[in-house]
Amino acid sequence: MKLNMASMALLAASLSSTSSLVCAFTRPANHRGALTTLSKLHFSSTKEPTQQQQSTIRRRKAFKQNTATLLSRASTFTNYKDGALFLSTTEESTTTAVNGASASSDESNLDNLFPNKNKSIIDLPPRMRFAPSPTGSLHVGGARTALYNWLVAKKGQLDFVEGDGGFVLRVEDTDVARSTKESEDSVLADLSWLGLTWDEGPNTPLAKYGPYRQSERSTLYSKIANSLIESGKAYPCFSTPEELDAMKARMEAEGIPPRYDGTWRDADPEVVKAKIDAGDPYTVRFKVPAGARVVIDDAVRGTVSWDAEATVGDFILL
């Protein structure tokens, strides 16, 4: 169901009864007016501006290039290709990024690709991702999620003026059979019409964390997956869809949660190599340690834990 004025009115009404949030969602003629309204929700009403308000004013006055300017600059680069970081191919761009990250250390050291590793999210500016699938039109539920992420991202940018916080749009085009460029353009146009503009996305080629289409990051993911296989944390799985369906049916009949039974977890390395050399298709599964329990410190729910082996098993990475 494609968004229309009636559905937008219902969505805005369901989200909040305050005119301020509705104003921010339906995008007034002056888009910066939405940010002004939001600032009134979060800051004090004293006559003298607070330090946060002063920072906000300085930030709004700072020059910010629009997408047209960025694309114009990007087009001057040799072999520029949208979404490929100015290089001739996406594979070249992601390979260069990975090699650059590990140039000063061992080839398998990919820590530089994860700058926020071991850092608390409470101390970092929020980077809020919205990841639509370009297999159809934007739905009301997706717009609602995008709105909340956009609001948190904009508030974070007011609090962390110099940080990397922002609203990030990453296109989940991994469903090759159903994804289309027309659907992607439609979703981006709907988000723009709603005023939910993004700071990073497939049409911001100068952003430093691209590419922003999943299909353009395959080389990067393959590199990381191979490093996990080499370190014994993942393995190739050659189980066919028919075998997986039979496995699931058997577990359901036995009354246990369906999960991969580890057929290829400890397979003979020679057999695995022979199948790879023969070109047999395979997935890469994460090797969940026996009895592993995942414990995370969630910013909203506090400490959360679950039995990884019993609930998800050796899940597919790639």
Side-chain angles (χ1 to χ4, degrees):
M1 177 180 66
K2 192 173 178 62
L3 291 171
N4 53 42
M5 293 302 293
S7 60
M8 290 313 307
L10 289 173
L11 176 59
S14 67
L15 290 174
S16 173
S17 60
T18 63
S19 60
S20 298
L21 187 55
V22 173
C23 177
F25 186 71
T26 55
R27 191 182 190 184
N30 178 4
H31 183 51
R32 293 186 182 274
L35 286 179
T36 302
T37 302
L38 288 176
S39 68
K40 293 178 181 178
L41 293 174
H42 297 291
F43 301 122
S44 65
S45 58
T46 57
K47 294 182 179 180
E48 292 296 326
T50 65
Q51 183 177 358
Q52 277 188 324
Q53 285 175 318
Q54 291 174 345
S55 298
T56 301
I57 294 172
R58 288 195 299 270
R59 181 179 178 275
R60 290 173 186 167
K61 289 182 178 179
F63 172 71
K64 184 176 182 180
Q65 300 183 60
N66 57 34
T67 303
T69 304
L70 292 174
L71 292 175
S72 176
R73 286 180 55 197
S75 64
T76 63
F77 286 79
T78 304
N79 294 327
Y80 163 71
K81 184 178 180 181
D82 184 18
L85 299 184
F86 317 138
L87 298 174
S88 57
T89 64
T90 300
E91 288 73 15
E92 183 181 356
S93 70
T94 50
T95 301
T96 300
V98 173
N99 291 340
S102 58
S104 59
S105 58
D106 184 77
E107 183 178 355
S108 63
N109 183 7
L110 302 174
D111 287 348
N112 289 338
L113 289 174
F114 307 96
N116 294 332
K117 182 180 179 181
N118 296 327
K119 295 181 180 179
S120 172
I121 61 171
I122 301 299
D123 302 325
L124 297 171
R127 289 178 56 78
M128 306 304 295
R129 181 202 69 191
F130 180 60
S133 175
T135 56
S137 300
L138 179 66
H139 288 244
V140 172
R144 178 177 182 271
T145 300
L147 168 63
Y148 285 154
N149 285 355
W150 183 87
L151 289 172
V152 174
K154 295 299 119 176
K155 176 60 167 60
Q157 289 178 330
L158 300 180
D159 295 339
F160 299 85
V161 179
E162 304 298 330
D164 279 337
F167 181 48
V168 181
L169 185 67
R170 189 188 71 194
V171 178
E172 293 285 332
D173 58 348
T174 52
D175 188 343
V176 179
R178 299 171 57 218
S179 296
T180 65
K181 188 65 168 63
E182 292 75 19
S183 292
E184 178 184 319
D185 292 342
S186 173
V187 171
L188 268 58
D190 288 341
L191 290 172
S192 297
W193 179 83
L194 290 170
L196 304 181
T197 54
W198 48 95
D199 302 287
E200 302 172 34
N203 61 348
T204 56
L206 296 182
K208 62 181 179 180
Y209 296 116
Y212 293 94
R213 294 185 182 92
Q214 284 285 51
S215 62
E216 296 175 351
R217 302 176 67 85
S218 58
T219 299
L220 173 62
Y221 295 149
S222 295
K223 179 98 175 179
I224 296 175
N226 288 334
S227 73
L228 290 174
I229 293 175
E230 292 171 1
S231 62
K233 297 176 181 177
Y235 60 93
C237 171
F238 297 91
S239 297
T240 65
E242 293 75 18
E243 291 172 336
L244 294 175
D245 288 341
M247 189 184 305
K248 178 180 179 181
R250 173 174 55 81
M251 291 183 176
E252 289 178 339
E254 295 174 358
I256 59 178
R259 62 185 184 279
Y260 185 63
D261 65 2
T263 299
W264 288 93
R265 180 183 176 107
D266 299 308
D268 186 337
E270 294 299 324
V271 175
V272 172
K273 183 178 183 302
K275 293 185 76 65
I276 292 177
D277 292 342
D280 290 358
Y282 66 91
T283 59
V284 176
R285 289 183 179 271
F286 186 78
K287 187 179 289 187
V288 177
R293 190 168 191 84
V294 177
V295 181
I296 63 174
D297 185 14
D298 189 272
V300 176
R301 300 175 59 194
T303 302
V304 180
S305 65
W306 65 90
D307 187 334
E309 182 185 21
T311 54
V312 294
D314 292 350
F315 54 90
I316 293 177
L317 294 171
L318 193 65

